[in-house]
Amino acid sequence: MRPTGDGSLTYGRGAYAAQHGVRSVLGMRVLVTGGAGFIGAHIVTALTERGHDVVVLDALLPSAHPGRRPPLMPDAELLVGDVRDTDVVRAALRGVDAVCHQAAMVGLGKDFADAPAYVGCNDLGTAVLLAAMAEAGVRRCVLAGSMVVYGEGRYTCPRDGIVRPGPREVADLEAGRFEPHCPVCGAPLVPGLVGEDAPADPRNVYASTKLAQEHLTAAWARSTGGRAVSLRYHNVYGPGMPRDTPYAGVASFFRSALARGEAPRVFEDGAQRRDFVHVRDVAAANAVVLEAVGDRPGGSFVAYNTGSGEPHTIGEMARALATAHGGPRPVVTGEYRLGDVRHITADSARLRSEWGWRTRVGFAEGMAEFARAEQRASAALPQRA
């Protein structure tokens, strides 16, 4: 997939296979919900490069597609419609063997007033889709999950071992005390990698809806004998990321600022740890898992962390982007957002060992590319991607 001068995207059959060395696997007709969005469009490319027949269902909301202009998708059939519309979903599922469910309202949002929109888009939309899949006999699904279901990451206290700190206090944030402390003894904590067996602890509305999507998908698999996987994405970035919206990820915020000639504004002290994973690697994970999930026992559901395995701080990311773009230098503001977690980096070894997936775009290479890449035009409204 290549960005064009006007921000639209074109698709070609050679690039993915050449970069990833994949073998074309023929035979499936795959529905990709939200397939015209940022991550979804890259998944469409990955699937078509592997020889699959792809149908895209996307509402083309103005927040992600100004003017509702249909994107150029010569290798896929595009259906414009809402995943919450049963009749539309039934039509999209005709002849489909598997579903890659990407349609969702993303990001932390602005405040709790966004809750009905998040629940409607993410949870109601998922329920309508799964019910239609049960009716149509489609028994293979890969869900766009998220690492936000964990809340804070894994922490170790020198005295009390592995602990789970609660939400940070406003008074601490106001005073610039950003690091969580041991809930038992109050000592400083050492952040580490969280595994899939960690208990879920969603800290905001978006996180709650992503966990609900997993529960719904697991219930669908048990009820129908289906096979489902949730890929818990980390901080996905790369070409085609939307710009100028409060619902985008932090990498998009910084890239948008640089495009305007402004310094990226880094919240807290910039030492928050995240895992930045390139969108082409995430697309590859979806393609690999979608092909292999049929080998799982009927009625199964499993979640996998999907990250690069290389934690970096928000400050590091901002500096890397600014350097590659040619400035301005980031500004550390000390500001904070309630609902943000301090550190969340997860161990993706299980996905690598069980499915043979590997990331191929390193942090420095990916940030240098993203600093020069076109972004997707968008309005400052809730988006589904």
Side-chain angles (χ1 to χ4, degrees):
M1 187 169 68
R2 300 181 299 277
T4 64
D6 63 359
S8 63
L9 300 170
T10 61
Y11 295 75
R13 284 192 171 272
Y16 181 87
Q19 292 175 13
H20 292 262
V22 298
R23 175 176 58 89
S24 179
V25 181
L26 302 175
M28 283 200 297
R29 181 171 172 86
V30 181
L31 172 64
V32 181
T33 68
F38 165 48
I39 298 175
H42 284 270
I43 291 172
V44 169
T45 298
L47 290 170
T48 56
E49 289 286 353
R50 297 174 77 107
H52 298 297
D53 182 20
V54 178
V55 181
V56 169
L57 174 62
D58 200 297
L60 297 184
L61 297 184
S63 52
H65 306 276
R68 292 177 63 91
R69 180 183 61 183
L72 299 174
M73 305 188 77
D75 291 332
E77 177 185 348
L78 174 62
L79 303 178
V80 179
D82 197 310
V83 74
R84 293 169 291 185
D85 186 323
T86 299
D87 292 336
V88 167
V89 174
R90 283 172 174 162
L93 286 170
R94 290 186 190 125
V96 163
D97 303 299
V99 172
C100 190
H101 184 31
Q102 305 296 311
M105 183 173 168
V106 300
L108 186 60
K110 292 182 288 187
D111 53 45
F112 201 81
D114 287 330
Y118 273 104
V119 173
C121 288
N122 297 359
D123 299 340
L124 176 59
T126 298
V128 170
L129 173 66
L130 293 170
M133 289 169 61
E135 180 183 87
V138 180
R139 297 293 182 263
R140 187 185 300 225
C141 180
V142 174
L143 170 70
S146 175
M147 53 80 187
V148 296
V149 301
Y150 297 118
E152 285 285 355
R154 183 180 186 272
Y155 292 89
T156 303
C157 171
R159 194 191 81 171
D160 297 300
I162 296 175
V163 296
R164 293 185 59 79
R168 295 178 293 173
E169 299 292 337
V170 172
D172 287 334
L173 297 171
E174 287 284 352
R177 295 188 294 268
F178 302 120
E179 292 290 345
H181 286 73
C182 177
V184 180
C185 70
L189 299 174
V190 178
L193 300 180
V194 62
E196 290 91 348
D197 57 350
D201 185 18
R203 300 286 178 92
N204 54 60
V205 171
Y206 171 63
S208 299
T209 64
K210 295 307 289 183
L211 184 59
Q213 282 186 305
E214 290 194 349
H215 289 322
L216 287 166
T217 305
W220 164 83
R222 288 191 296 269
S223 174
T224 65
R227 299 162 173 85
V229 167
S230 175
L231 296 177
R232 291 175 174 170
Y233 301 160
H234 278 254
N235 291 69
V236 185
Y237 73 97
M241 202 172 189
R243 66 172 182 259
D244 300 327
T245 166
Y247 298 85
V250 66
S252 178
F253 294 163
F254 294 166
R255 178 65 179 83
S256 297
L258 290 165
R260 297 191 299 268
E262 300 172 3
R265 295 177 59 82
V266 180
F267 280 14
E268 301 187 16
D269 58 1
Q272 310 94 301
R273 286 160 54 95
R274 297 291 188 270
D275 184 327
F276 299 98
V277 59
H278 197 278
V279 66
R280 288 196 297 272
D281 286 326
V282 169
N286 276 271
V288 168
V289 171
L290 196 68
E291 291 171 353
V293 71
D295 297 331
R296 293 274 168 170
S300 66
F301 171 85
V302 64
Y304 292 94
N305 294 327
T306 309
S308 71
E310 298 180 4
H312 292 272
T313 68
I314 298 289
E316 283 181 274
M317 187 269 288
R319 290 190 294 273
L321 270 181
T323 298
H325 190 271
R329 291 175 58 83
V331 174
V332 178
T333 69
E335 298 174 89
Y336 64 88
R337 295 193 306 177
L338 285 175
D340 275 349
V341 298
R342 179 61 174 174
H343 306 295
I344 177 63
T345 54
D347 186 353
S348 300
R350 185 175 168 190
L351 180 63
R352 294 193 296 269
S353 64
E354 293 188 19
W355 301 88
W357 169 78
R358 297 287 186 277
T359 57
R360 295 182 177 272
V361 183
F363 177 79
E365 173 193 353
M367 289 298 164
E369 177 198 28
F370 184 46
R372 300 186 298 269
E374 292 285 343
Q375 287 181 275
R376 182 187 298 257
S378 61
L381 298 168
Q383 69 170 351
R384 283 184 295 164

